[in-house]
Amino acid sequence: MDSDPLLALRHAIKTKSPITYVANSEPTTSLLAASHIVLSPTLSLPKSTTTRYSKPGTSASSPSDFFTLEAVYLAWLLRDAPVAEYMKQARDNGLAVGFVSVTERKSIVEWLEGKVNDLKRIVSLAAESTTPPGTPTHPGAATMPLITPKRTAHTADTTTTPSKRRYVADQQDVEVVKRIKQNEVELRDRNTVLRGTKPNNFSALRATYSERLKKLKETKPGATPVPAPTAGLPMQSRKAKNLYPIIMISSSPTALITMHNVKRFLQESLFESSSTARERAAAAGNSRAEDVIHIDRRRVPPSSSSQPTSTSRGDIQRYFVVDSTDALQKFGADAWERVVCVMTTGQAWQFRPYRWSEPRALFHHVKGVYVSWANDPPNTKIKDWNVTELKIDPHRRHIDKSVVAHFWQLIDDWTITNKPWLIKS
């Protein structure tokens, strides 16, 4: 039987030997009242015996940096206890501080039961001892690791002068400091937030501009400077070739604007209900609405007078209207780059299959238009959505033209600002 406290406890646990307690040479069933833990018929150790299992965050240079035999045994004894119960039992047994933490309990229990052979924080028995002469010993002192006993005012020092005595912090103070550090919150300012965690590599950007800057510096006074590169021009020139803006509407059957009546509304400035438009199409032999509809409108240049002439009628601008992402996929992988407007009924489920399913993110990238009756009450769901309300009168059809004109003005303003390459010049 090895007299090292940790090995002796491990041997007793692995062999399932009975572990009992002794108080004043008398057996007891209370670990709190006990003074010694009996690990075998021939080995009884004080429960305060220092083991080789070091505490986390310590230098393992003093006895207070190691767990006691009682703390290690209690961690194994309460190995299956819930967290709250384990901490309560530790306090009830006099270990308000110095007990094995819940996160460390599993690893020491597995080592004691022989499930693992090595534990990082168990100091090796082969460590060279530099314990000063005269240090009190216990039965396992011959094989204990490097530990310097805590000095008191009455302890004689035979190796150093009183002015050079090593300071040993109080164990309770150490535990209090640890708890305080665990609750600390790192303060962050605008500089640390902007710094971020992802490293950015701008070498490609530097390579693009370095040659241009070099030529600018070498340009003689009065000479024509070399134009600096304009970001986005290749993309814009590529997009300017036969790419028309796309408008997405809701697929809800209760929406005011559907694939049945959208063309007449936006192209002819006349609103009719979706059911009426569907019946009219069915009578003409078109029982099913198309999934892609094109709309042609004549854009009047801003400089034109209120009375358009033959030279100021503007160009025909084509738009496509879809009501689903399946139809949108027909326009290619970059179709979302061409979407300029999303008409919504205020129902968030409409955006689930979209590229941006969250309304605030969606309407940051496209123009949002909420279509409703003029006499409907305000919809509180859309107040944070960054959308413009488009109100249609239920009865007065003569004002449809002004409503549609307002809609196209919204689309033109947004597109010119955000996606000018989609506007036909």
Side-chain angles (χ1 to χ4, degrees):
M1 169 70 65
D2 199 318
S3 59
D4 175 72
L6 266 185
L7 293 179
L9 177 60
R10 189 186 194 200
H11 182 269
I13 291 174
K14 291 175 64 176
T15 58
K16 299 183 179 180
S17 301
I19 300 176
T20 58
Y21 319 131
V22 174
N24 299 324
S25 302
E26 295 292 335
T28 180
T29 58
S30 172
L31 180 60
L32 177 62
S35 60
H36 289 66
I37 298 178
V38 180
L39 301 177
S40 71
T42 59
L43 182 61
S44 175
L45 296 175
K47 67 179 184 179
S48 59
T49 301
T50 303
T51 67
R52 293 181 291 113
Y53 185 43
S54 63
K55 298 177 180 178
T58 62
S59 59
S61 60
S62 67
S64 61
D65 293 342
F66 295 85
F67 288 107
T68 63
L69 179 63
E70 177 186 21
V72 176
Y73 171 69
L74 193 63
W76 176 82
L77 186 65
L78 301 174
R79 57 192 179 278
D80 297 325
V83 175
E85 179 63 20
Y86 170 67
M87 298 182 69
K88 178 180 180 299
Q89 290 290 339
R91 290 193 298 269
D92 292 346
N93 283 278
L95 291 176
V97 294
F99 60 89
V100 179
S101 67
V102 177
T103 56
E104 303 290 335
R105 179 175 59 170
K106 181 181 178 181
S107 58
I108 188 62
V109 167
E110 289 180 345
W111 183 86
L112 290 172
E113 293 179 345
K115 296 179 180 178
V116 295
N117 294 325
D118 296 314
L119 199 57
K120 183 177 180 181
R121 292 212 316 278
I122 294 182
V123 180
S124 173
L125 283 169
E128 182 181 358
S129 176
T130 57
T131 305
T135 301
T137 62
H138 55 76
T143 57
M144 282 298 292
L146 170 63
I147 297 178
T148 303
K150 181 178 178 181
R151 301 182 186 275
T152 64
H154 304 288
T155 302
D157 191 340
T158 60
T159 59
T160 60
T161 62
S163 61
K164 294 183 179 180
R165 286 186 299 179
R166 185 177 181 276
Y167 171 74
V168 179
D170 183 81
Q171 183 60 26
Q172 287 187 340
D173 293 342
V174 173
E175 295 299 329
V176 170
V177 171
K178 286 181 182 178
R179 288 197 295 270
I180 292 175
K181 287 185 175 181
Q182 289 175 353
N183 294 326
E184 283 184 349
V185 178
E186 181 182 357
L187 296 179
R188 305 181 69 185
D189 57 18
R190 63 179 183 178
N191 292 325
T192 57
V193 171
L194 292 174
R195 189 172 294 117
T197 58
K198 181 180 178 182
N200 294 316
N201 186 0
F202 295 99
S203 58
L205 188 62
R206 289 186 58 187
T208 302
Y209 280 86
S210 58
E211 189 66 25
R212 299 275 184 173
L213 293 174
K214 183 179 178 181
K215 292 181 179 180
L216 284 174
K217 291 180 180 178
E218 295 175 353
T219 303
K220 297 180 180 180
T224 303
V226 179
T230 303
L233 282 181
M235 177 65 70
Q236 293 183 16
S237 61
R238 181 181 67 84
K239 290 182 177 180
K241 297 179 180 179
N242 300 325
L243 296 184
Y244 301 108
I246 299 174
I247 299 172
M248 293 194 69
I249 65 176
S250 174
S251 59
S252 172
T254 60
L256 294 183
I257 303 298
T258 66
M259 297 298 284
H260 296 283
N261 62 356
V262 64
K263 187 177 183 72
R264 193 172 189 186
F265 180 64
L266 295 182
Q267 187 166 291
E268 302 177 18
S269 301
L270 181 62
F271 175 81
E272 64 177 345
S273 66
S274 180
S275 58
T276 302
R278 184 166 50 248
E279 293 172 358
R280 179 170 53 82
N286 301 321
S287 59
R288 186 175 182 180
E290 300 178 15
D291 58 349
V292 177
I293 294 176
H294 75 270
I295 294 177
D296 294 328
R297 62 175 284 249
R298 187 176 297 278
R299 292 183 63 251
V300 179
S303 59
S304 300
S305 61
S306 57
Q307 298 295 331
T309 63
S310 58
T311 60
S312 64
R313 290 180 60 83
D315 295 323
I316 297 295
Q317 176 75 55
R318 172 162 292 189
Y319 294 81
F320 286 100
V321 180
V322 297
D323 68 344
S324 67
T325 54
D326 293 337
L328 185 64
Q329 291 176 357
K330 296 181 179 182
F331 294 92
D334 62 344
W336 274 105
E337 298 298 327
R338 298 165 55 184
V339 176
V340 296
C341 173
V342 170
M343 288 187 176
T344 178
T345 59
Q347 298 166 307
W349 60 261
Q350 174 187 349
F351 317 125
R352 290 175 187 169
Y354 286 11
R355 181 176 179 180
W356 302 280
S357 58
E358 205 280 323
R360 284 182 288 270
L362 172 66
F363 296 122
H364 177 74
H365 294 87
V366 300
K367 177 62 182 176
V369 175
Y370 171 67
V371 184
S372 64
W373 292 119
N375 55 0
D376 282 349
N379 189 342
T380 58
K381 295 180 181 179
I382 66 167
K383 63 179 182 179
D384 299 326
W385 285 12
N386 189 28
V387 296
T388 301
E389 294 190 55
L390 191 72
K391 293 187 175 294
I392 300 175
D393 193 279
H395 309 292
R396 298 184 297 171
R397 298 280 62 84
H398 62 279
I399 66 173
D400 290 343
K401 189 172 183 178
S402 62
V403 174
V404 175
H406 176 59
F407 169 81
W408 287 122
Q409 186 63 48
L410 293 172
I411 300 303
D412 286 346
D413 293 344
W414 189 93
T415 307
I416 291 173
T417 303
N418 297 276
K419 299 182 179 181
W421 59 86
L422 294 176
I423 296 294
K424 186 176 180 180
S425 57

